[in-house]
Amino acid sequence: MKLYFSPGACSLATHIVLRELDLGFDSERVDTKTKVTGSGANFYDINPDGYVPALQLDNGEIITEGVAILQYLADQHPQSKLAPAPGSWERTQLHRQLNFISAELHKSFSPLFRGAEGDARTAAIDTLGVKFKHFDRLFADGRPYVMGDTFTVADAYLFTVLSWTRVVQVDLSPWPVLVAYLERVGARKPVQDALVAEGLVAA
């Protein structure tokens, strides 16, 4: 397999899951501005939408959209328990959390990545605060991970998106439960290995 990624982008979630599964894979960096890959390829030829991640399978097929990739990988390796069984109540809850992360939390960072200032920045941070409360409530019961005691693909995605608070300089300290969550997930070896491989932390 080959993962097309950009360091620290939402493709980090797929990178983490590949390492959680201990799968052999190649990776190729994508310049998200020029849409040129590390080997000089036009990324639009790989994913016409121009977004990372894109995962090329051994048979040459390419999967795009992070949530789809995460669930595909988990379903190919059910023994990993990175996703509950399809059709189960627990799987429905995983869908719910993945959809919230994607549609609500992930998208709420967009104004800050576009350089919002002044009132626009304040409004964007306030919006993020509303989304943070969803997970603040979720972890109020003391669970270590999104789905309970077991690390799943939702944690790879949530960790990735919450990590963006450091990039856009949003103070997460009003949500100590989320700060602790980032530290807990970040301490996992596959997560550390992915961060090191993308040059986000020192080896």
Side-chain angles (χ1 to χ4, degrees), residues 161-174:
V161 177
L162 286 179
S163 295
W164 295 342
T165 55
R166 298 163 183 163
V167 178
V168 296
Q169 298 181 326
V170 170
D171 182 13
L172 203 56
S173 63

Side-chain angles (χ1 to χ4, degrees), residues 128-199:
L128 277 175
V130 174
K131 313 308 178 184
F132 292 157
K133 288 178 182 178
H134 171 86
F135 295 102
D136 194 54
R137 292 190 299 268
L138 183 72
F139 293 120
D141 63 3
R143 67 179 65 194
Y145 301 115
V146 171
M147 295 296 293
D149 292 331
T150 303
F151 180 93
T152 68
V153 294
D155 296 293
Y157 193 10
L158 180 58
F159 171 84
T160 296
V161 177
L162 286 179
S163 295
W164 295 342
T165 55
R166 298 163 183 163
V167 178
V168 296
Q169 298 181 326
V170 170
D171 182 13
L172 203 56
S173 63
W175 294 274
V177 171
L178 300 186
V179 173
Y181 172 81
L182 276 178
E183 293 174 351
R184 183 165 56 251
V185 175
R188 295 177 67 89
K189 187 178 186 305
V191 176
Q192 278 293 307
D193 288 346
L195 294 172
V196 170
E198 294 196 9

